[in-house]
Amino acid sequence: MKILFAASEIYPLIKTGGLADVAGALPVALRKKGHDVKLIMPAYQGILEKVAPIQKSINLGNPFGVGDLLLLETHIPENDTPIWLLQCQALYEREDGPYVDKNGIDFEDNHIRFAALSWATATLALHGHLMNWQADILHLNDWQTGFAAAYLESWKVEHIPVVTTVHNLRYNGSFDMNQFSAMHLSPELLNMHGMEFYGRFSGLKAGLVYANAVTTVSPTYAKEILTPEYGDGLDGALRAMQDRLVGILNGVDYNQWSPEKDTLIPHNYDIDTLSQKQANKLALLQENGLSEDLNQPVFGVVSRLTEQKGLDLVLQVMPALLEKGARLVVLGSGDKYLESQYLELQNNYPNQVSVRIGYFEDYSHRLQAGIDALLIPSRFEPCGLTQLYALKYGTLPIVRQTGGLADTVFEDGERANGFVFKEASAKALQAAMERSIECFHDTNRWQEKQKNAMSYDYSWDAVTDQWISLYESLIN
Ligand code: ADP
Ligand code: GLC
């Protein structure tokens, strides 16, 4: 099959969260199974230095009046995956991240930036002759590419089947109606069964309602989003399309995330050499100038600091646990208030708490290898990848039972591999952390969980067939 895969971030070219990991790995897994996948993403600043030399380029014209859109054909050197980069200086060449400026504020032309990406994607899906490659399936991801489904609908043409994956319903890409005319979409789409969303227009809703199939990134989240509590205003629309909605769990790229071959951690180890994990723990504590006691647990966080992730709860419970000798290593960035609260915690407990604000891929590997338990008290979690990475590193996740966390982390039973709590409260988190401390001191029980954690296969290979069946069912 020929699959055109569109995303706004793709690892290793650019990454702000799990979407990049998925967009960087699922296409590789599909290609391994013999399918022909091509990616499309904007040529953000600095991207051209990370890809192979451009093989071909075409000019798609200036449909949005902000400058010509150029499509550059190349591939990702690390894994040879073909990619088309959409170049437009006025839209994409900015020093900041892909979506926000340095103060964390959304760029005010985001609707145009991702309309252009979506328009180019839809154009390629329709006119394969432009690049001598006609896709059989178009796979969109989140709101940034959801508008592509709206262009295809707007143009009223026969087109290839469209699959839209929701990685996070909270980011619905909705904009004020007075920006709609700049999108060059048919106003006919603005109705409650279309892309209209509470008096605004939404890229995610477009991606949902105009797709032939909708997927999300775990079975549990696929059920949760049908309820008002998790549906973020889209639960009604999602209930109406239940028969074409399915949850497929994300996988892990074990080439990037395996303690036995990870070149970014100081000491490699596997399930039979778990004592080497202690060496990583010591190295992490030393790197951060924390107390080096190996007989007490070290908790960790690697996360975007947002409301979603529930990390305000960690701040509430930490003082009591720190008084009992626990330590905490945090890597994260996002909400400025949370950042400052974590830095204050570090100031109050300099020997026990280390907080690094920013985005550091290499350090995230050392952290996962060096901590004993990873805290993920999310209020909602579509899939979550950090718990999957933790498991492979024998680091036990402490999670709230929601979304993909509920599908992958178990406190009891045959697959017991972590600690789980239900209620989104400081009290429930604290109780789970206390259970984990007790277990930590029962070495046999802890190691049994570590072995369960490390031996379960969450690779892409295990789920790629589900993707292939879905694509095939749409083509036939
Ligand atoms: P989300 O996509 O909601 O942020 P995921 O758990 O799916 O959550 O994926 C997060 C990804 O981003 C993981 O690869 C994680 O290691 C990485 N990550 C998050 N915050 C940071 C950070 N500050 N520095 C480095 N990597 C980070
Ligand atoms: C989103 C979700 C996260 C998921 C990731 C990749 O950012 O918040 O749970 O793992 O996308 O699908």
Side-chain angles (χ1 to χ4, degrees):
M1 266 176 295
K2 293 199 172 74
I3 304 148
L4 177 57
F5 192 98
S8 57
E9 50 181 276
I10 299 173
Y11 184 83
L13 303 180
I14 184 160
K15 165 169 165 182
T16 72
L19 167 61
D21 287 343
V22 173
L26 172 58
V28 175
L30 288 163
R31 273 167 47 85
K32 257 203 220 146
K33 299 234 173 186
H35 297 285
D36 182 359
V37 189
K38 298 209 197 268
L39 302 168
I40 178 167
M41 187 189 86
Y44 302 111
Q45 181 147 306
I47 296 291
L48 290 181
E49 291 140 40
K50 297 185 184 171
V51 294
I54 304 302
Q55 288 144 340
K56 177 175 170 183
S57 86
I58 60 162
N59 190 330
L60 297 174
N62 184 6
F64 296 93
V66 289
D68 285 356
L69 302 178
L70 297 184
L71 207 54
L72 314 178
E73 184 169 281
T74 176
H75 59 268
I76 300 178
E78 283 81 352
N79 53 35
D80 254 5
T81 315
I83 182 166
W84 285 308
L85 293 170
L86 184 66
Q87 189 177 46
C88 177
Q89 191 184 3
L91 295 181
Y92 305 124
E93 286 178 34
R94 302 185 183 174
E95 273 176 25
D96 315 295
Y99 319 118
V100 297
D101 67 18
K102 47 180 132 342
N103 300 315
I105 311 286
D106 286 353
F107 292 123
E108 59 181 36
D109 58 349
N110 270 349
H111 59 305
I112 304 292
R113 297 174 71 235
F114 294 106
L117 174 64
S118 296
W119 180 91
T121 300
T123 301
L124 267 181
L126 205 55
H127 304 294
H129 62 89
L130 288 172
M131 285 308 215
N132 288 324
W133 187 85
Q134 178 56 56
D136 302 314
I137 277 275
L138 173 58
H139 189 156
L140 307 175
N141 292 277
D142 279 351
W143 74 266
Q144 294 91 341
T145 50
F147 290 122
Y151 285 106
L152 290 171
E153 182 75 13
S154 211
W155 297 336
K156 293 193 172 148
V157 281
E158 283 274 312
H159 59 78
I160 56 172
V162 177
V163 180
T164 299
T165 298
V166 182
H167 295 266
N168 195 329
L169 215 54
R170 181 61 56 89
Y171 304 101
N172 55 35
S174 74
F175 298 92
D176 197 282
M177 275 305 174
N178 65 28
Q179 294 174 315
F180 189 76
S181 62
M183 304 290 290
H184 300 285
L185 281 164
S186 162
E188 282 173 26
L189 305 187
L190 290 177
N191 63 76
M192 65 178 280
H193 303 293
M195 64 187 292
E196 187 265 346
F197 181 70
Y198 297 98
R200 296 162 68 82
F201 67 93
S202 155
L204 185 62
K205 194 169 174 220
L208 300 180
V209 298
Y210 304 124
N212 302 81
V214 173
T215 77
T216 187
V217 286
S218 69
T220 294
Y221 191 62
K223 288 191 204 120
E224 287 173 338
I225 56 180
L226 303 175
T227 66
E229 189 189 350
Y230 288 95
D232 275 299
L234 283 164
D235 47 294
L238 287 161
R239 281 194 300 276
M241 59 178 75
Q242 265 186 71
D243 56 336
R244 53 194 165 97
L245 169 69
V246 35
I248 304 179
L249 198 69
N250 284 333
V252 176
D253 180 354
Y254 287 130
N255 286 321
Q256 304 290 333
W257 293 99
S258 286
E260 66 267 24
K261 59 179 174 200
D262 189 336
T263 55
L264 301 172
I265 63 174
H267 306 277
N268 290 113
Y269 60 97
D270 63 18
I271 199 161
D272 299 316
T273 54
L274 265 172
S275 59
Q276 284 303 304
K277 182 163 170 60
Q278 293 288 84
N280 286 291
K281 177 170 172 178
L282 187 61
L284 182 72
L285 295 170
Q286 287 171 343
E287 173 176 0
N288 291 303
L290 297 182
S291 118
E292 291 176 19
D293 181 1
L294 294 179
N295 297 318
Q296 293 293 333
V298 175
F299 295 97
V301 168
V302 184
S303 187
R304 292 184 293 114
L305 302 178
T306 63
E307 208 252 346
Q308 170 187 348
K309 301 289 179 180
L311 294 166
D312 47 314
L313 303 178
V314 174
L315 285 165
Q316 291 176 49
V317 306
M318 248 9 254
L321 295 164
L322 292 165
E323 293 301 335
K324 291 188 198 159
R327 278 150 301 167
L328 176 69
V329 183
V330 177
L331 167 62
S333 68
D335 182 281
K336 296 296 161 205
Y337 179 73
L338 279 176
E339 289 182 356
S340 72
Q341 292 293 297
Y342 272 101
L343 289 169
E344 196 179 314
L345 189 71
Q346 171 181 249
N347 279 342
N348 294 341
Y349 296 90
N351 297 322
Q352 288 167 276
V353 177
S354 158
V355 174
R356 212 171 282 196
I357 302 296
Y359 197 92
F360 304 101
E361 188 73 28
D362 292 9
Y363 182 57
S364 73
H365 288 242
R366 298 202 293 283
L367 199 158
Q368 287 274 19
I371 60 173
D372 295 296
L374 184 73
L375 302 173
I376 320 179
S378 303
R379 294 202 163 78
F380 67 95
E381 195 61 73
C383 177
L385 294 170
T386 56
Q387 85 278 14
L388 301 180
Y389 303 154
L391 291 171
K392 187 67 181 172
Y393 284 70
T395 295
L396 302 188
I398 301 178
V399 307
R400 180 160 172 261
Q401 196 173 55
T402 184
L405 300 171
D407 292 333
T408 56
V409 182
F410 311 95
E411 182 147 348
D412 304 304
E414 267 177 21
R415 274 174 68 188
N417 60 5
F419 304 90
V420 180
F421 62 98
K422 281 201 169 121
E423 195 188 306
S425 70
K427 198 170 145 219
L429 169 63
Q430 183 164 343
M433 289 176 74
E434 277 167 0
R435 291 197 300 280
S436 81
I437 295 174
E438 203 188 299
C439 179
F440 180 82
H441 293 296
D442 180 347
T443 312
N444 287 341
R445 199 149 69 89
W446 186 269
Q447 283 182 354
E448 207 171 296
K449 284 201 186 214
Q450 283 185 305
K451 290 189 172 157
N452 280 343
M454 295 175 84
S455 53
Y456 199 83
D457 180 11
Y458 284 109
S459 66
W460 279 106
D461 292 342
V463 290
T464 309
D465 287 343
Q466 294 182 49
W467 282 105
I468 294 170
S469 312
L470 175 70
Y471 296 146
E472 280 172 353
S473 72
L474 297 173
I475 293 175
N476 300 327

